[in-house]
């Protein structure tokens, strides 16, 4: 690593105009991004959107066609070896040596990272206990369930205490139970304050874990926190379910209120579009009760990340050929 | 710079996998058993006809140390000498099998993706794989050779048994064999990176065996026995090709091609 490749102002990950072309096709281009230490950043996009290529570019596994990237201040292009010391990578498949035991798999990678024997043994025990695999440490990885394999692969990625952890589609091929186990493991890592880059198309997973989301489709289309993305997509709606359908007087009265941006009645349900649900919800409740309406339930509905996803990526989802 | 500790880690892991792969283990263990048995059986049970006097004279001229043998013993010695071929075949086939399973196995489990994301150079990775493929073959051949010396001494008598420790055998077992092993690994790796089944890789890799039969055919047809010097020259040529192949392999065996083309 040369002095020239060191950055003084150092985000954990930084890219400038990063792009990679395969033949005539750009997998990803013009990627400008900065990730702060401890941030969990999700790359969201459909299959073939360039998520895996982006992860491979940021981890120095493939060279960019354009632009550059720095990881913890290290130039990914000129010093990929040093970059690989600082990252942990969970590939889409666990990529384990199936004839080796869980312990032997980790030991091999500990050796590749140059961990001394005592530290290696300590880290292996710590991680296998953390992921509840310690009792199965001597079993061959090939005998593990998909969820256990993925947990072992995460343990492998964490073995050398990497500065940044890259998780590429960590739950894409898992059944619900295995996916749950892996998501819990990822939640643990987030609580530990690790910098994580998560490539996924699992919206629920992303919403639960990510501090910021980057929508990708050949280029970075939008970046923001899940909450701001949802808030920016459409104004929230406060939904009140009443014992009886509201009177026309009540509806007229509500329409006059300042906090109401729009109002719709569907039988005994009142839907009020508001700009600030925190202040509008109690006001709406007071108005309804004041007019003698009995409230069975009241809740706030915001735009889902799914609707934001479709909106940003310009996808019109269809069900059996008809728009959903 | 190649770091020995990293190469050792790769060798250690490869060997752990080899001993747990029964098919591969059989491919390593069975040939030496045949290798010791066949030369002895061929010589002990083979046709004991004497060779034509002019052929015997040619052979004795090529191997002055056979001058004290009877014409029939010369024929036996000539037959035993041909079994040297098996000691060339084994260093070719065992590393080929190991390399094929190693590379194709990594492709099937996609395990190399995690390895190339670790701080290991391509040269270190390939060196580890090459050593792990060649070493079992070399050790196996040497053990088989030691067993052959002992069994030949007991079954054929010391006069004939001495043939298997002449300079041509020593050059073959200790120099040409390992060189062929290296070349075999290089070919095995190159083929395995293009196919998805270890058996296909092995079948394609057996082309390396054809030139070895050349040694056998030349000697059989001409009645001319290659000298130790000729075996050493062959070893030098094979070793040079193997090293060149390995260097080319390091260049071609790029991380990108593993990620984007290995399917």
């Amino acid at each position: 690593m040369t002095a020239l490749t060191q950055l003084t102002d150092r985000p954990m990950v930084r890219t400038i105009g990063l792009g990679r072309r395969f033949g005539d096709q750009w997998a990803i281009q013009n990627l400008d991004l900065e990730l702060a230490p401890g941030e969990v950043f999700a790359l969201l996009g459909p299959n073939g959107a360039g998520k895996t290529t982006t992860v491979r570019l940021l981890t120095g596994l493939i060279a960019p066609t354009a632009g550059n990237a720095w990881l913890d201040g290290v130039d990914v292009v000129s010093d990929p070896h040093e970059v690989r010391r600082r990252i942990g990578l969970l590939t889409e498949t666990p990529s384990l040596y199936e004839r080796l035991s869980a312990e032997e798999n980790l030991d091999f990678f500990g050796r590749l990272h140059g961990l001394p024997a005592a530290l290696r043994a300590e880290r292996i025990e710590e991680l296998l206990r953390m992921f509840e695999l310690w009792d199965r440490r001597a079993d061959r990885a090939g005998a593990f369930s998909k969820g256990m394999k993925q947990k072992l692969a995460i343990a492998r990625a964490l073995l050398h205490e990497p500065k940044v952890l890259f998780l590429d589609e960590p739950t894409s091929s898992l059944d619900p139970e295995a996916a749950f186990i892996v998501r819990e493991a990822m939640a643990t890592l987030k609580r530990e304050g690790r910098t994580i880059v998560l490539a996924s198309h699992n919206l629920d997973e992303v919403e639960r874990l990510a501090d910021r989301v980057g929508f990708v489709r050949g280029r970075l289309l939008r970046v923001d926190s899940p909450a701001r993305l949802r808030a920016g997509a459409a104004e929230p709606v406060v939904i009140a379910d009443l014992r009886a359908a509201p009177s026309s007087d009540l509806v007229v009265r509500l329409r006059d209120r300042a906090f109401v941006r729009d109002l719709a009645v569907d039988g005994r349900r009142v839907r009020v579009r508001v700009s600030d649900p925190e202040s509008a919800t109690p006001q709406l409740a007071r108005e309804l009760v004041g007019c003698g309406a009995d409230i069975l339930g009241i809740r706030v509905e915001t735009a889902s990340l799914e609707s934001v996803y479709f909106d940003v990526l310009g996808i019109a989802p269809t069900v059996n050929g008809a728009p959903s | 710079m190649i770091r020995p500790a990293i190469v050792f880690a790769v060798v250690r892991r490869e060997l752990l996998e080899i001993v747990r792969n029964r098919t591969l283990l059989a491919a390593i263990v069975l040939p030496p058993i045949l290798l010791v048995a066949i030369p002895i059986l061929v010589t002990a049970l083979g046709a004991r006809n004497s060779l034509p006097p002019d052929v015997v004279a040619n052979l004795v001229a090529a191997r002055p140390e056979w001058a004290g043998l009877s014409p029939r013993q010369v024929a036996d010695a000539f037959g035993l000498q041909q079994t040297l071929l098996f000691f060339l075949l084994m260093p070719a086939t065992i590393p080929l099998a190991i390399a094929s399973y190693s590379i194709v196995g990594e492709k099937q489990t996609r395990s190399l993706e995690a390895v190339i994301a670790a701080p290991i150079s391509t040269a270190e990775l390939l060196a580890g794989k090459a050593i792990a493929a060649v070493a079992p073959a070399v050790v196996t051949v040497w053990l088989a050779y030691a067993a052959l010396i002992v069994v030949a001494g007991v079954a054929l008598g010391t006069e004939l048994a001495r043939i298997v420790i002449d300079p041509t055998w020593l050059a073959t077992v200790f120099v040409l064999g390992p060189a062929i092993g290296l070349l075999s690994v290089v070919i095995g790796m190159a083929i395995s990176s293009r196919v998805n089944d270890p058996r296909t890789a092995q079948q394609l890799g057996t082309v390396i065996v054809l030139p070895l039969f050349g040694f056998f055919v030349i000697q059989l047809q001409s009645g001319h026995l290659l000298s130790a010097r000729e075996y050493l020259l062959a070893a030098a040529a094979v070793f040079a090709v193997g090293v060149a192949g390995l260097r080319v392999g390091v260049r071609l065996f790029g991380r990108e091609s593993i990620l984007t083309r290995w399917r």
Side-chain angles (χ1 to χ4, degrees):
Chain A
M1 184 172 55
T2 64
L4 286 173
T5 61
Q6 294 269 14
L7 295 176
T8 47
D9 178 17
R10 187 183 286 183
M12 193 52 84
V13 176
R14 184 183 198 189
T15 70
I16 298 174
L18 192 66
R20 172 65 197 229
R21 195 178 58 213
F22 294 101
D24 296 334
Q25 190 76 31
W26 284 93
I28 189 82
Q29 60 181 324
N30 298 326
L31 184 68
D32 296 320
L33 191 64
E34 285 197 0
L35 306 186
E39 180 175 6
V40 178
F41 182 80
L43 285 165
L44 256 183
N47 290 330
K51 302 188 296 292
T52 297
T53 300
T54 303
V55 167
R56 287 174 174 174
L57 285 168
L58 295 178
T59 51
L61 291 178
I62 60 174
T65 313
N68 208 346
W70 293 264
L71 192 138
D72 193 26
V74 180
D75 189 322
V76 168
V77 177
S78 66
D79 208 350
H81 194 78
E82 186 55 40
V83 166
R84 287 194 285 271
R85 288 184 189 285
R86 296 163 190 242
I87 58 140
L89 173 63
L90 175 70
T91 49
E92 195 173 342
T93 51
S95 304
L96 298 168
Y97 288 101
E98 304 218 330
R99 285 193 175 86
L100 301 192
S101 69
E103 199 169 18
E104 287 165 343
N105 264 284
L106 296 187
D107 183 73
F108 170 59
F109 282 91
R111 287 169 188 265
L112 293 189
H113 281 283
L115 301 183
L119 177 60
R120 207 162 62 227
E122 186 185 308
R123 289 287 297 151
I124 289 170
E125 179 171 354
E126 184 185 332
L127 287 163
L128 288 178
R129 286 192 188 283
M130 175 180 165
F131 290 112
E132 296 171 350
L133 293 170
W134 179 245
D135 293 340
R136 302 286 304 272
R137 65 187 179 279
D139 291 359
R140 290 184 187 191
F144 282 6
S145 68
K146 280 186 175 179
M148 290 166 72
K149 284 180 182 175
Q150 202 74 331
K151 285 202 297 183
L152 182 57
I154 295 175
R156 179 187 61 202
L158 290 169
L159 194 63
H160 55 293
E161 300 270 23
K163 297 256 180 128
V164 186
L165 188 61
F166 290 86
L167 306 172
D168 189 4
E169 310 277 8
T171 57
S172 67
S173 61
L174 302 183
D175 60 40
E177 186 185 353
F180 174 79
I181 292 169
V182 172
R183 272 197 287 272
E184 287 300 301
M186 289 192 289
T188 305
L189 301 176
K190 178 181 164 71
R191 284 194 293 274
E192 287 179 355
R194 293 183 188 275
T195 306
I196 300 174
V197 177
L198 169 67
S200 179
H201 44 216
N202 186 316
L203 301 171
D204 179 51
E205 185 173 286
V206 165
E207 185 146 25
R208 253 192 278 176
L209 295 171
D211 298 313
R212 281 195 303 158
V213 178
F215 288 94
V216 181
R217 197 177 210 182
R219 60 180 67 230
L220 194 59
L221 300 171
R222 193 185 294 176
V223 181
D224 214 331
S225 69
R228 276 200 294 271
L229 284 166
R230 278 191 279 101
E235 285 178 323
V237 175
V238 181
I239 298 170
D241 289 315
L242 308 177
R243 184 181 294 277
S247 65
S248 53
D249 286 350
L250 174 56
V251 172
V252 170
R253 183 174 168 152
L254 285 176
R255 283 193 201 283
D256 287 343
R257 292 294 174 260
F259 68 85
V260 176
R261 309 286 294 254
D262 189 20
L263 183 144
V265 177
D266 178 16
R268 292 181 295 171
R269 175 167 290 177
V270 177
R271 299 171 65 91
V272 180
R273 191 168 295 284
V274 300
S275 52
D276 178 10
E278 276 199 25
S279 63
T281 306
Q283 286 184 66
L284 175 65
R286 277 196 296 274
E287 290 290 341
L288 291 170
V289 172
C291 293
D294 291 334
I295 302 172
L296 298 177
I298 191 163
R299 69 181 194 278
V300 179
E301 193 175 84
T302 54
S304 68
L305 198 57
E306 186 180 55
S307 63
V308 178
Y309 176 91
F310 290 139
D311 180 43
V312 173
L313 295 170
I315 298 170
T318 59
V319 179
N320 296 330
S324 66
Chain B
M1 187 186 71
I2 291 184
R3 295 163 297 170
I6 300 298
V7 176
F8 173 74
V10 176
V11 173
R12 184 178 173 278
R13 185 199 51 72
E14 292 274 341
L15 293 179
L16 278 174
E17 290 214 292
I18 290 168
V19 298
R20 289 169 191 174
N21 184 337
R22 286 181 191 167
T23 311
L24 201 49
L25 212 51
I28 297 170
V29 172
L30 291 179
I33 295 170
L34 297 173
L35 204 65
V36 175
I38 289 173
I40 303 299
L41 288 173
V42 165
T43 309
L45 305 175
R48 290 295 190 108
N49 295 328
S50 294
L51 293 167
D54 58 324
V55 174
V56 173
N58 278 345
L59 292 172
V60 172
R63 286 279 190 282
E65 63 272 24
W66 292 5
L69 300 178
S70 69
R72 208 173 72 180
Q73 281 179 314
V74 171
D76 288 342
F78 181 62
L80 192 60
Q81 185 69 16
Q82 300 313 312
T83 61
L84 191 60
L85 172 71
F86 297 118
F87 281 83
L88 293 175
L89 289 179
M90 204 163 67
T93 56
I94 293 177
L96 184 66
I98 295 173
S100 302
Y101 271 94
S102 168
I103 300 286
V104 176
E106 298 248 32
K107 286 169 86 170
Q108 287 170 342
T109 56
R110 310 278 296 268
S111 45
L112 264 186
E113 286 194 32
V115 175
I116 61 176
I120 176 174
S121 70
T122 307
E124 287 164 344
L125 177 64
L126 289 192
K129 280 187 173 294
I131 292 169
V134 174
V138 168
V139 170
T140 306
V141 169
W142 289 354
L143 288 175
Y145 181 58
L148 178 69
I149 293 168
V150 173
V151 176
V154 172
L156 305 174
T158 51
E159 279 184 316
L160 280 177
R162 242 188 308 224
I163 289 165
V164 299
I165 52 170
D166 80 5
T168 58
W169 279 80
L170 296 174
T172 299
V173 171
F174 293 105
V175 185
L176 181 55
I180 287 173
L182 177 65
L183 182 61
S184 180
V185 164
V186 171
I187 291 173
M189 284 180 178
I191 294 171
S192 302
S193 65
R194 299 276 185 274
V195 300
N196 290 315
D197 177 33
R199 278 158 297 201
T200 310
Q202 282 175 261
Q203 283 160 7
L204 291 172
T206 48
V207 291
I208 194 179
V209 168
L210 295 176
L212 301 179
F213 275 104
F215 281 96
F216 177 70
V217 172
I218 288 167
Q219 295 183 98
L220 210 58
Q221 291 294 314
S222 65
H224 169 73
L225 290 172
L226 296 173
S227 66
R229 186 171 169 276
E230 286 164 322
Y231 277 102
L232 287 174
L233 283 173
V238 171
F239 187 74
V241 174
V243 170
L246 204 55
R247 291 174 79 100
V248 172
V250 169
R251 281 201 201 137
L252 297 180
F253 200 86
R255 290 175 138 82
E256 287 212 21
S257 64
I258 292 168
L259 289 169
T260 56
R261 284 195 272 164
W262 280 30
R263 290 286 184 274

